[in-house]
Amino acid sequence: MGTEGRRLYCRCVYFFDVFFFLHFSSFSSTLISIPHSKTKPSLPKKKQEGYEVEDPCLDPIRAVLAPRFDKQRISSLDSDRRWARSLDGEPFVPGIVGLNNLAGRTDFANAVLQSLARVGPLRDFFLDPSNYRHAASSQLVCRFGDFLRRVWNDRAFRGHVSPHELMVAVERVSKGRFSPGGGGGNGGGTGSKKGSKTKTELQRSASTDAAAFLVWLLNALHVDLVIPPGPTAPSGAVAARISGGARSIVTACFQGEVEVTTETATVAGGGGGGGASRSETSTTRSKFLMLALDPPPAPLYQDALEQNIIPQVALASLLAKYDGRTVTDDAKAGRRTLRITKLPRFLLLHVRRFARNAFFAEKNPTIVNFPVKGLPLGELLRYKSSSKQQDNDEPFRYDLAANVAHEGPAAAGVFKAHVQRKSDGAWFECCDLRVAETLPQVVALSEAYVQVWEKRPVVKAAVAAAAGGGAVPMDEAS
């Protein structure tokens, strides 16, 4: 079906459906223009000005150009097990479709977008344009909503979607930082010999990082939802201060709080070396959208079989960094302890695998072992519990919703996403246009880079046990 702007050449429609051909043959193969609203097809001026064509045969075209979701349909997305079928007869899962890799360098963005499409509240918010009508001036917000509606459209002609319009908006808003035409490195580029890279390649490698793109995208959506772009909109420090204390669908899903206790050493009695040293402690609280985890370094030497052993570490061991007892040494900030005081509904974890300097980009191949279901995070919070009852972690258990993994070396690897379909619990591996069903055991063995964990719905019995004196987080205690 040929297109020119918003126009459809009706004489080509019979290639897709014979009923379309029978209908449009009465118009003598003229073309019907689709206005910018994409909802009211009309004839050209030669036929009749403003004549709207009301015919059920145009409904499939309307459903593709402007997918619509009512509240009943949105509420049934996570329980609907039906598959859709494209025009060529291939079945596909609405919400888990292939994404075009633009210029071969947007696999990092495709993996992030596949993961965000599994966040139910965020998806439901953007499927209904009336929720962000106040931010209609934001090109990024509108393009992101349009992208999610096309991904979840069960009446699509194809089983894949192109994120081109969204990435163009991303390139403009980020001022070229995340560009479909740029990139390389761990986004699919090629490195120099022996893993060395030029300065330009290292900059491109940093601009195609999935974690950096995810944090930027969430912050940009939050700012545009709180402060829609416009000639009178504040900018700079004023906009940062307003958006920092405001709430949006982004903060409602991903924002948590961490308490940072910093211990700094000072010398009393001057700097002559004879004074007594003492330590000062300061405590601050800050909000976060993503938690960074530091895997142990890979071994430098080979084993007896002259092979490099890939180390393994449990995810719980990496999360111990935020238990309030583990001390981390920072050359600039000093000795610090981190304690999570508020867990979000969707927890984003970033395993920092890549280390970049002026000459090399190295990747840590450590395997992080994690359960797909039932990750207990109650130990990270401080409780006020009675001596007679034990702590109850049930209200703070998380299930994996999406996993972004990186395969290959740092210089020429690719990002892919593992996502779960809630209706039947099946897992799918999405690597650009390729979507295939996989096993949860395979997901647990991947080189996880970014993970999206969803808090389990709180059972009334568990809430009653926690409220009855068992375990009450400090930020929820009265």
Side-chain angles (χ1 to χ4, degrees):
M1 182 168 52
T3 60
E4 182 181 354
R6 296 297 181 185
R7 298 184 176 182
L8 303 177
Y9 288 92
C10 300
R11 59 176 176 269
C12 300
V13 178
Y14 67 88
F15 285 107
F16 298 100
D17 200 312
V18 65
F19 297 104
F20 285 176
F21 171 72
L22 294 177
H23 172 73
F24 291 122
S25 60
S26 61
F27 294 106
S28 302
S29 297
T30 58
L31 59 88
I32 292 180
S33 63
I34 306 296
H36 185 67
S37 61
K38 301 184 289 186
T39 56
K40 297 181 179 180
S42 59
L43 293 176
K45 294 182 179 179
K46 293 183 179 180
K47 291 294 180 179
Q48 186 174 353
E49 183 68 26
Y51 175 73
E52 182 180 350
V53 179
E54 293 289 351
D55 196 287
C57 293
L58 292 175
D59 291 343
I61 300 179
R62 293 190 184 98
V64 173
L65 293 178
R68 293 184 176 182
F69 295 82
D70 53 20
K71 293 182 179 180
Q72 181 179 2
R73 185 179 177 189
I74 292 176
S75 61
S76 63
L77 289 177
D78 289 335
S79 59
D80 192 358
R81 297 188 177 185
R82 293 176 298 178
W83 287 50
R85 192 172 296 274
S86 60
L87 289 178
D88 57 1
E90 290 293 330
F92 67 93
V93 181
I96 308 178
V97 297
L99 301 180
N100 290 342
N101 192 337
L102 307 178
R105 297 189 177 102
T106 58
D107 56 307
F108 71 100
N110 291 344
V112 169
L113 295 175
Q114 293 278 14
S115 302
L116 291 180
R118 312 315 304 171
V119 180
L122 186 72
R123 173 204 63 196
D124 298 346
F125 178 86
F126 281 97
L127 287 182
D128 188 359
S130 63
N131 292 330
Y132 54 89
R133 187 183 295 111
H134 65 284
S137 59
S138 171
Q139 187 179 18
L140 181 64
V141 170
C142 295
R143 290 292 179 263
F144 185 73
D146 181 67
F147 169 78
L148 287 182
R149 286 190 292 274
R150 289 188 288 124
V151 166
W152 285 92
N153 185 17
D154 58 353
R155 302 179 65 182
F157 289 165
R158 302 173 298 179
H160 60 274
V161 172
S162 175
H164 179 264
E165 294 182 356
L166 175 60
M167 293 306 298
V168 169
V170 167
E171 182 180 9
R172 291 179 180 177
V173 177
S174 65
K175 298 180 181 180
R177 178 183 177 187
F178 301 101
S179 172
N186 54 16
T190 58
S192 303
K193 295 181 179 180
K194 298 183 180 180
S196 63
K197 307 176 74 175
T198 63
K199 182 178 180 180
T200 303
E201 289 175 334
L202 288 172
Q203 292 175 350
R204 290 179 177 177
S205 177
S207 67
T208 55
D209 185 81
F213 175 71
L214 175 58
V215 173
W216 176 90
L217 180 60
L218 293 179
N219 279 284
L221 290 174
H222 169 67
V223 172
D224 284 0
L225 287 173
V226 174
I227 309 175
T232 60
S235 60
V238 178
R241 184 173 62 256
I242 296 176
S243 61
R247 298 283 295 175
S248 69
I249 185 62
V250 175
T251 58
C253 292
F254 303 106
Q255 190 178 82
E257 188 180 65
V258 62
E259 182 183 84
V260 182
T261 303
T262 305
E263 180 181 351
T264 56
T266 59
V267 178
S277 62
R278 62 177 182 178
S279 60
E280 296 180 354
T281 303
S282 61
T283 302
T284 58
R285 289 195 178 189
S286 60
K287 300 176 182 179
F288 68 88
L289 293 179
M290 178 185 294
L291 292 179
L293 306 178
D294 301 315
L300 298 177
Y301 303 101
Q302 297 179 343
D303 59 2
L305 300 178
E306 296 185 355
Q307 295 179 354
N308 290 328
I309 301 176
I310 299 179
Q312 299 185 20
V313 62
L315 181 60
S317 300
L318 301 182
L319 287 171
K321 172 183 177 181
Y322 300 95
D323 61 1
R325 298 182 297 269
T326 303
V327 179
T328 58
D329 292 326
D330 194 308
K332 296 182 179 180
R335 295 168 56 87
R336 300 190 305 170
T337 58
L338 307 174
R339 181 177 67 88
I340 297 179
T341 57
K342 181 181 178 182
L343 285 170
R345 181 175 178 181
F346 290 87
L347 180 63
L348 299 179
L349 299 179
H350 170 213
V351 182
R352 296 196 285 196
R353 294 186 176 275
F354 298 102
R356 302 180 179 90
N357 53 35
F359 305 99
F360 292 94
E362 299 178 344
K363 176 185 175 183
N364 190 331
T366 301
I367 299 297
V368 179
N369 298 321
F370 55 89
V372 177
K373 292 184 177 181
L375 177 66
L377 295 180
E379 297 179 357
L380 298 180
L381 297 174
R382 183 179 298 174
Y383 293 92
K384 286 176 22 179
S385 58
S386 62
S387 58
K388 297 181 180 180
Q389 297 183 359
Q390 297 180 352
D391 294 342
N392 184 7
D393 291 342
E394 188 61 31
F396 304 101
R397 288 189 177 271
Y398 282 72
D399 297 331
L400 185 64
N403 176 62
V404 176
H406 183 269
E407 283 191 353
V414 294
F415 287 102
K416 63 181 180 180
H418 299 105
V419 296
Q420 185 187 36
R421 193 186 187 196
K422 274 193 173 183
S423 59
D424 53 10
W427 281 91
F428 292 84
E429 180 181 287
C430 305
C431 186
D432 297 332
L433 291 175
R434 183 176 62 87
V435 178
E437 193 168 356
T438 186
L439 297 174
Q441 293 83 354
V442 177
V443 178
L445 294 177
S446 63
E447 298 182 49
Y449 186 59
V450 175
Q451 293 183 330
V452 182
W453 293 85
E454 181 180 2
K455 182 186 293 186
R456 283 185 177 179
V458 179
V459 185
K460 293 183 179 180
V463 175
V472 181
M474 290 294 291
D475 59 309
E476 297 181 5
S478 57

